[in-house]
Amino acid sequence: MANFAIDAVKATTYDAIVIGSGISGGWAAKELTEKGLRTLVLERGRDVKHVVDYPTTMLNTWEMEHRGQLPLGIRQENPIVGKCYAFHEASAHFFVKDAEHPYVQEKPFDWIRGYQVGGKSLLWARQTQRWSQFDFDGPARDGFAVEWPIGYADIAPWYSHVEKFAGITGNKDGLAQLPDGEFLPPHEWNCVEKYFSQQMAAKYKDRPVIMGRAAHITQPQPIHLQQGRAKCQHRNICVRGCPFGGYFSSNASTLPWAAKTGKLTLRPHSVVHSIIYDEKKGKATGVRVIDANTKEMIEFYARIIFVNAAAMNTNLVLLNSTSNRFPNGLGNDSGVLGKYVAFHNYRAGISGEYDGFLDSTTEGRRPNGPYIPRFRNVFKQETDFLRGYAAGFSANRMSRTNQDGFGVDLKNSLANPTLGGWSVNSHMMGETIPKVTNFVALDKDLKDPFGIPQIRFSVAYDDNDDKMVKDYQEQMMEMFTAAGFKNLRVRDENRNPGIDIHEMGGVRMGKDPKTSMLNKWSQLHHCKNVFVTDGASMTSTSTQNPSLTYMALTARAADYAVKEMKKMNL
């Protein structure tokens, strides 16, 4: 019997375990398997194979049962995920429905999740900007949160590493506040976008309008062809899954690459309950998993563990990983686990019209748009609020179609719409300040369908966020007016935190183990063989879309972890 027990343990033992298969989990799998580690990737949701499991990707709207719309019943059953811009008939199968995985809201929080192999890498907006040193310096300068233990120089080579593999389109803009990367050719501007950029450059020294940087292959390189990926077709239906691999996802890129090494074991339907801590060895030895189909508890073992379950679920896993040594969650000697949660503030926007360039219009589609990098409080504190915001911009020719008639007349009317002027729009992308009052915790009574405590959210906006919204509206009103745009309308949607899908923190990096969970290598201060490299690890949020930084942090941590393993330090 003893031999059977030994064999059973061997069968469930790996060099590394990765919890989660989304953007950061996929990168952990790629980097660890490439370096020779037998790696188990645990995914709580179903399997989604590239191309094969994209059921709507080649459908025309009229081929869908509800023409792309969701029935009223589904909308009523999903008041939270139903707010997400990407939730519709063609993509609903990639989203967690409200009733499937409940959570507790002490304060309103719209938690958007994708539980399947690839996670939200199938659904993300694909914007990819590097942080600058100014972003890393923010907490030290104004005293909110704790100092980052790393700076731009530490992560810059890893940005390059992941950009080359993922495929990032962009322009070399030479901005100190938004460093250039390893770019594929940029997307084209339309005439009004270019006009707005030129007008802002003429009026302001510090408010460049640039073409967005995005994870789309505009010119495939050998490394992309080796992945089986092709040029982006500009279909703009990315949330259905891309059969061409034109945008970066774990499904199209990192997971197949890891599988080719022969070192990857991917196990879907595996809900992680907790991490196993061995008090005699003083380290984590494995992971407890509940099989989503059988509800059986299974244990898997490894020398190193990467926790990439997505920010709030990573908090949940660590909070639920209790022991005599860590009664308040794995590695939580500091007491900060689950605290200092932050997010991005997308509440505000502005729209208007422009009656120039009436001899021009747009043709085709583009999965990207212009971007206004942060220009407030970058080099010094200059406003009555802390940190700052970036902004998106778009311009489109308005049109009207006559839908009267039948047959050929109707077809001709639809094919030849009456053109109006141009609509112009912008939306805010603001940084929020990590605060101890913004936290997540485990509910003491309520359980999820797997018997795991539900996560409880207490996260809210504050006065700093309100001041930032007001400033964005004032500054964009000034900028749009300077460009000659008319009929301007500012908005504050007062949306709940979370719907922006950039929640971060709770397992923050820092220099001092007394005030942080992770060191400069994304490694738990008090449990050295556990690494966290998803959004939970973020000390602050800055304004950039965060996924590129998660990728770089993951590749950097994996490189360090393997080197430490070889030294027998892990």
Side-chain angles (χ1 to χ4, degrees), residues 402-414:
N402 181 357
Q403 299 185 26
D404 296 334
F406 298 91
V408 173
D409 290 341
L410 176 60
K411 290 179 181 178
N412 287 336
S413 296
L414 296 176

Side-chain angles (χ1 to χ4, degrees), residues 126-141:
R126 306 166 307 283
Q127 291 293 298
T128 45
Q129 309 98 9
R130 291 188 180 200
W131 279 36
S132 73
Q133 186 58 44
F134 300 109
D135 300 301
F136 287 104
D137 287 343
R141 188 175 71 188

Side-chain angles (χ1 to χ4, degrees), residues 321-337:
S321 300
T322 57
S323 61
N324 290 330
R325 170 66 183 85
F326 296 113
N328 299 313
L330 184 63
N332 191 23
D333 285 359
S334 63
V336 301
L337 177 60

Side-chain angles (χ1 to χ4, degrees), residues 237-312:
I237 51 175
C238 310
V239 294
R240 303 184 190 185
C242 180
F244 306 97
Y247 75 84
F248 174 83
S249 69
S250 295
N251 309 68
S253 182
T254 46
L255 290 176
W257 192 267
K260 286 195 298 185
T261 67
K263 300 289 185 179
L264 175 69
T265 299
L266 175 61
R267 194 181 197 280
H269 304 294
S270 300
V271 180
V272 171
H273 175 278
S274 55
I275 295 170
I276 303 165
Y277 181 78
D278 189 311
E279 299 190 20
K280 292 182 179 179
K281 294 181 179 179
K283 63 180 182 179
T285 55
V287 174
R288 296 183 189 91
V289 168
I290 299 172
D291 186 290
N293 294 320
T294 67
K295 301 301 190 291
E296 177 189 7
M297 181 81 82
I298 308 170
E299 294 185 355
F300 295 96
Y301 308 97
R303 287 177 63 187
I304 60 171
I305 298 167
F306 271 66
V307 191
N308 300 91
M312 298 300 98

Side-chain angles (χ1 to χ4, degrees), residues 343-359:
F343 53 96
H344 277 159
N345 178 2
Y346 279 34
R347 277 168 40 189
I350 184 172
S351 60
E353 298 173 7
Y354 185 58
D355 56 11
F357 297 100
L358 298 181
D359 58 345

